[in-house]
Amino acid sequence: MSRRTEEVLADLVADLRPVQRLAAPGWRAAGWLATAAAIVGAAVAWHGLRPDIGARLALPYEVGQWLASVATGVLAAVAAFLVALPDRSPRWALLPLPALAVWLASLGWGCFADLARMGPQALALGTSWSCLRFIIGVGLPLLGSMLWVLRHAASIRPVPVALLAGLAAAPLCSAGLSLFHHLDAALMILLWHGGAIALVTGLGGAVGRTVYTR
Amino acid sequence: MERPDGGWEALMARAQAGDARAYDALLRQVLPFLRAVCRRRLGSSTEVEEAVQDALLTIHRLRHTYDPARPLQPWLATIADRRAVDRLRRSGRRARHETVLEPLSETLAAPAANGWDHASEEQLAAKQLRDAVSGLPSSQRRALALTKLQGLSLAEASARSGLSVGALKVATHRALQTLRTRLGGGKSSR
């Protein structure tokens, strides 16, 4: 053993203190999800549910789309807590992708359905800054909170964990937003909700590559 | 690799509870395994040893993330592999910033006609550089070593030295300016 390795080893042994083991990743993910649900739920309650929520919940297609966005967030959170541990496979990062694919496919399909129902008007692009504001405004603190609780991952897999943290936070905000401010045209949802989710996830990745590393 | 009764997992569980003897035994026993993992990525034995030291530091920092119900080897392997990849990236970064010095004083084809051979010329250049570096204030020398010789990013160098990123930038810049002046006869050209 080199002298320097011997010194490092001796320093670490001298520095040893008892540590509190982390809880199982499933429990930790459940804890974070409960907090996120409480925060998004409070924001929804503050805005109030949209008046036609009952009618919307009777439409299986819309309920399925909403559940896919929730599933994306939940599965991304579980994946982040797993990938953050050195002895878990990095392939867990793929866990939220099927739900994300279903959500995006349902929106894509919705665009065609709108086109058939409404004609070219379905492709009219409008602005919905409030969507962007809500998803980013609530999503970024949620992203930050997950990066904080998973800070131990910074020396192992910073970028995948930070990307998953963004993909966990933003779709949950999008699902909450849909309960009080649903856009009717699928293209608008794809543009504003999808765009905001991509932005928050991309920001997570950028943080992972820079400040979160080590 | 020698595995004691109860294995590395039991030693790590005792280390998590604060048992220094178990921790010392564990770290010594896992060293060959860490080296083997790092050797898969790195060629030079010096780099392997440095990656192993980095891995030991990460193991220490992340020891609370280990679940004794699971095997320790995959947990160690990921950590050692990440630190080896870091070293690989750093040496790649360093290689991009370094240039092979050409013997500028050579005027004739026969080495003997130039007064000294390449080896002595390199030794002289190395001595001049060493003298110039040792003449720098210690903060500038440390900044230079971390950012230019070890190839750390400013954030990494800041974490390791305790200096702010701004202070590191200033110290590195001043060190390079001083070296240019001393070695290049006052010229600041690269």
Side-chain angles (χ1 to χ4, degrees), chain A residues 174-210:
Chain A
S174 158
L177 179 62
S178 300
L179 296 177
F180 67 87
H181 180 250
H182 193 79
L183 294 167
D184 286 327
L187 186 65
M188 287 286 284
I189 303 175
L190 195 61
L191 185 69
W192 291 99
H193 285 229
I197 289 171
L199 198 67
V200 173
T201 307
L203 271 172
V207 169
R209 225 185 318 277
T210 52

Side-chain angles (χ1 to χ4, degrees), chain A residues 96-153:
Chain A
L97 295 189
L100 179 66
V102 168
W103 185 67
L104 290 175
S106 76
L107 283 173
W109 179 253
C111 291
F112 286 113
D114 287 350
L115 195 60
R117 186 166 52 90
M118 299 155 65
Q121 201 189 333
L123 299 181
L125 291 178
T127 52
S128 183
W129 296 112
S130 58
C131 290
L132 198 66
R133 219 170 24 238
F134 182 83
I135 295 176
I136 291 175
V138 182
L140 284 186
L142 289 181
L143 166 68
S145 71
M146 189 183 274
L147 291 180
W148 173 250
V149 295
L150 292 179
R151 60 194 178 281
H152 57 83

Side-chain angles (χ1 to χ4, degrees), chain A residues 1-2 4-6 9 12 15-22 86-88 152 155-157 214, chain B residues 16-19 23-24 28 31 49 53 56 60-64 68 70 75 78 82-83 86 90:
Chain A
M1 194 191 321
S2 81
R4 172 87 181 109
T5 305
E6 181 69 53
L9 203 146
L12 298 183
D15 184 57
L16 185 72
R17 303 281 177 276
V19 285
Q20 178 82 42
R21 270 179 220 135
L22 288 182
D87 56 351
R88 307 299 172 118
H152 57 83
S155 54
I156 297 297
R157 298 173 181 132
R214 283 256 249 167
Chain B
Q16 286 176 323
D19 183 339
Y23 194 43
D24 185 75
R28 287 176 193 284
L31 274 176
E49 208 55 30
Q53 288 156 15
L56 287 172
H60 187 70
R61 211 168 46 230
L62 296 193
R63 65 192 189 280
H64 66 294
R70 300 176 64 85
W75 188 87
T78 302
R82 294 313 306 169
R83 295 296 76 89
D86 283 352
R90 261 179 230 157

